[in-house]
Amino acid sequence: EVHLVESGGGLVKPGGSLRLSCVASGFTFTSYSMNWFRQAPGKGLEWVSLIDSRSTYLYYADSVKGRFTISRDNAKNSLYLQMNSLRAEDTAFYYCARDSIAWSRDYWGQGTLVTVSS
Amino acid sequence: QSALTQPPSASGSPGQSVTISCTGTSSDVGNYDYVSWYQHHPGKAPKLMIYEVSKRPSGVPDRFSGSKSGNTASLTVSGLQAEDEAYYHCSSYAGSNNLIFGGGTKLTVL
């Protein structure tokens, strides 16, 4: 059974940094591109970043470009999101999700909450 | 404001059918058959219910169906059950590696 478990969320001051992790199990991690999404309070889902299976191609939403960095460690079945220069508007639940066909994402984690506040 | 427009709420009684709309533009929903729908119970992992407008992943009941007409996609839940009460999010490919979402619809089973 596919499982994705995020961790690393918490309370951070504006301008601060945080590193999120997502541990995958139940599938061949090295065969899939992976994503980060987020959902701010009262808002819809927002795609944040994507990394291909070999870390060759990295893509970011304009809202986080230059501040967030996606990475993965295939030996550890793990996906990461390094978040720097955090802003209040980055406050959200962050989810990792596995890439699937036709621009869908077939498995998601339960999310980790990031709160940016002074 | 989300890129795709969904009604904030929808409701129906057990056994009834309900349809949730997702309206975009000719640059996204109207231009690509890459519309997906996700079910999300708060505190749990979102679940893919429909992809490529109308295809169901393995394990998703056939009570869930998707369609598209012009710039509007729709999710229909037939034979409503209590466990269908959740938030439903639509997404569409919008070109240039851009994936956009609606604001989500809270489905209430009365």
Side-chain angles (χ1 to χ4, degrees):
Chain A
E1 188 180 357
V2 173
H3 279 294
L4 298 170
V5 180
E6 303 94 339
S7 62
L11 175 64
V12 61
K13 289 182 169 53
S17 298
L18 214 53
R19 189 195 194 207
L20 306 183
S21 300
C22 169
V23 177
S25 61
F27 66 100
T28 304
F29 186 67
T30 53
S31 296
Y32 290 86
S33 296
M34 296 294 295
N35 301 260
W36 286 101
F37 289 84
R38 67 184 181 182
Q39 185 176 22
K43 301 287 182 65
L45 287 165
E46 178 189 14
W47 170 78
V48 173
S49 185
L50 177 150
I51 185 169
D52 76 311
S53 59
R54 297 184 178 185
S55 304
T56 304
Y57 300 102
L58 313 180
Y59 299 101
Y60 299 94
D62 288 342
S63 56
V64 307
K65 202 172 293 183
R67 302 186 299 122
F68 290 11
T69 302
I70 191 171
S71 63
R72 63 192 293 163
D73 185 337
N74 285 344
K76 295 182 178 180
N77 284 1
S78 292
L79 174 73
Y80 305 102
L81 186 68
Q82 177 66 43
M83 304 185 296
N84 298 331
S85 303
L86 282 162
R87 308 165 179 166
E89 54 264 35
D90 295 318
T91 294
F93 276 96
Y94 284 74
Y95 301 90
C96 63
R98 190 177 82 169
D99 227 45
S100 186
I101 63 172
W103 286 87
S104 67
R105 271 61 173 171
D106 58 356
Y107 288 97
W108 298 61
Q110 293 189 5
T112 187
L113 177 62
V114 172
T115 302
V116 184
S117 174
S118 54
Chain B
Q1 190 170 356
S2 298
L4 302 177
T5 300
Q6 295 182 238
S9 63
S11 63
S13 299
Q16 289 186 332
S17 294
V18 64
T19 297
I20 299 170
S21 61
C22 171
T23 301
T25 69
S26 57
S27 297
D28 38 70
V29 175
N31 196 38
Y32 302 99
D33 284 339
Y34 294 146
V35 175
S36 301
W37 289 90
Y38 300 89
Q39 178 190 65
H40 189 198
H41 292 100
K44 299 201 172 182
K47 178 183 179 182
L48 177 65
M49 305 302 284
I50 297 287
Y51 67 97
E52 235 172 314
V53 176
S54 59
K55 296 180 180 178
R56 277 187 310 276
S58 174
V60 173
D62 59 7
R63 302 185 295 102
F64 292 85
S65 62
S67 62
K68 189 183 85 167
S69 178
N71 298 335
T72 298
S74 299
L75 173 72
T76 298
V77 186
S78 305
L80 270 175
Q81 299 181 5
E83 59 262 35
D84 299 334
E85 185 163 297
Y87 289 86
Y88 291 84
H89 301 268
C90 65
S91 72
S92 175
Y93 181 60
S96 302
N97 294 315
N98 190 18
L99 183 67
I100 58 175
F101 283 84
T105 298
K106 183 178 182 181
L107 175 60
T108 301
V109 180
L110 302 171

